[in-house]
Amino acid sequence: MIDLRKDYDDIKKHRKALVDELKELEKDEKVKKYIELEKQEKKCHEIQTKLYKNMKFEEYSECKHLLVYSRIDQDRREGRTYKFCGCIKCGLTDEVLDEALLEEDIKSLPYKEKVMHDYLTENHIWYLPGKQLHISCDLSLARGIYSKIMEANPDIDEKTAICYFDKALHNIRNTKVSEARKKSRAKRLSLNHKFDSWNSDDIYN
Ligand SMILES: [Zn+2]
């Protein structure tokens, strides 16, 4: 008990010294400026976060989704297959509605996915509406290809865009290339440098 009391008194004294030093520093003009800027930055971050959510909600509701199967879960025991979908235009995916996600997992989803989850649940969307392309493809790959097509041909109609998309994906999947070429292709499509889900089988869980 005596040891604990001594430890407590020591740390209390040390903390008091730190608080005093902090208070003294706060009188400095540069430190005052630092604290003020930090406050402003925090406020900006809050506004930015809200704007991102509003912006994405609008984008998702206005998009006429073009859907691919972005992940396929197979429950071999029950013989059930569940296909998750994702939009190759706006990136919205119902993977964030995975029933296996616990309340805790949902809270810790990356912010972008949390916004998708909020959008779908707040609007009671349990199945993504839109045109189903019936293609199994990693969503980041599909989006990479689609955005490159639209970048090069901004005025094409949707039917042509789908046709180009089909062709591009077919070429990617059926042309044998070296690992180095795959890496540079991933870079061109703005995919993660570790990307390795080129084939339709790669999305099976
Ligand atoms: Zn969409």
Side-chain angles (χ1 to χ4, degrees):
M1 186 66 195
I2 292 165
D3 280 351
L4 282 177
R5 166 60 68 185
K6 189 183 173 308
D7 287 351
Y8 177 80
D9 288 343
D10 284 351
I11 202 73
K12 191 177 166 190
K13 213 165 126 193
H14 183 53
R15 184 168 161 247
K16 165 97 176 51
L18 290 174
V19 170
D20 288 348
E21 208 175 332
L22 279 171
K23 271 190 186 152
E24 203 50 45
L25 268 175
E26 277 172 21
K27 291 178 190 160
D28 185 280
E29 284 307 315
K30 272 201 168 155
V31 177
K32 270 187 200 165
K33 176 112 182 148
Y34 180 91
I35 294 170
E36 177 55 29
L37 288 180
E38 203 176 38
K39 236 191 258 171
Q40 286 183 26
E41 191 275 332
K42 216 171 151 189
K43 189 85 199 142
C44 277
H45 184 245
E46 266 172 36
I47 298 172
Q48 189 188 345
T49 308
K50 272 188 199 144
L51 281 176
Y52 176 85
K53 183 172 175 172
N54 293 344
M55 186 177 79
K56 283 291 166 185
F57 269 42
E58 195 173 284
E59 195 183 326
Y60 295 149
S61 67
E62 284 175 359
C63 179
K64 289 187 169 53
H65 307 302
L66 275 184
L67 306 170
V68 292
Y69 301 126
S70 56
R71 199 181 92 205
I72 299 178
D73 280 0
Q74 280 180 312
D75 187 335
R76 286 190 186 82
R77 236 183 355 194
E78 289 184 26
R80 233 166 28 108
T81 299
Y82 191 80
K83 292 176 174 176
F84 292 96
C85 297
C87 173
I88 66 176
K89 286 154 82 178
C90 70
L92 181 63
T93 171
D94 60 7
E95 284 180 42
V96 293
L97 293 179
D98 188 349
E99 279 174 12
L101 287 178
L102 302 169
E103 200 62 35
E104 284 308 304
D105 300 331
I106 292 164
K107 269 187 209 149
S108 57
L109 280 175
Y111 186 63
K112 287 180 180 179
E113 290 174 28
K114 175 81 173 57
V115 169
M116 286 186 200
H117 183 272
D118 289 352
Y119 173 77
L120 294 171
T121 50
E122 284 173 27
N123 291 289
H124 309 286
I125 300 170
W126 313 115
Y127 298 98
L128 289 190
K131 187 176 172 58
Q132 180 57 256
L133 299 179
H134 298 288
I135 291 172
S136 304
C137 185
D138 177 275
L139 190 56
S140 58
L141 171 61
R143 292 196 72 203
I145 296 171
Y146 186 80
S147 71
K148 281 277 165 225
I149 291 169
M150 296 317 286
E151 210 178 284
N153 316 274
D155 300 322
I156 52 170
D157 58 47
E158 190 166 282
K159 210 173 151 197
T160 316
I162 294 171
C163 214
Y164 285 1
F165 174 78
D166 253 344
K167 216 173 222 167
L169 187 61
H170 180 85
N171 285 342
I172 283 176
R173 287 180 168 168
N174 292 284
T175 315
K176 268 209 171 305
V177 293
S178 65
E179 284 307 308
R181 283 279 300 279
K182 277 186 191 170
K183 275 208 160 53
S184 70
R185 187 169 62 192
K187 202 171 169 190
R188 262 200 326 278
L189 294 170
S190 313
L191 301 168
N192 187 301
H193 67 284
K194 284 185 184 155
F195 183 82
D196 197 22
S197 302
W198 302 101
N199 299 308
S200 58
D201 295 351
D202 296 330
I203 62 160
Y204 279 81
N205 220 10

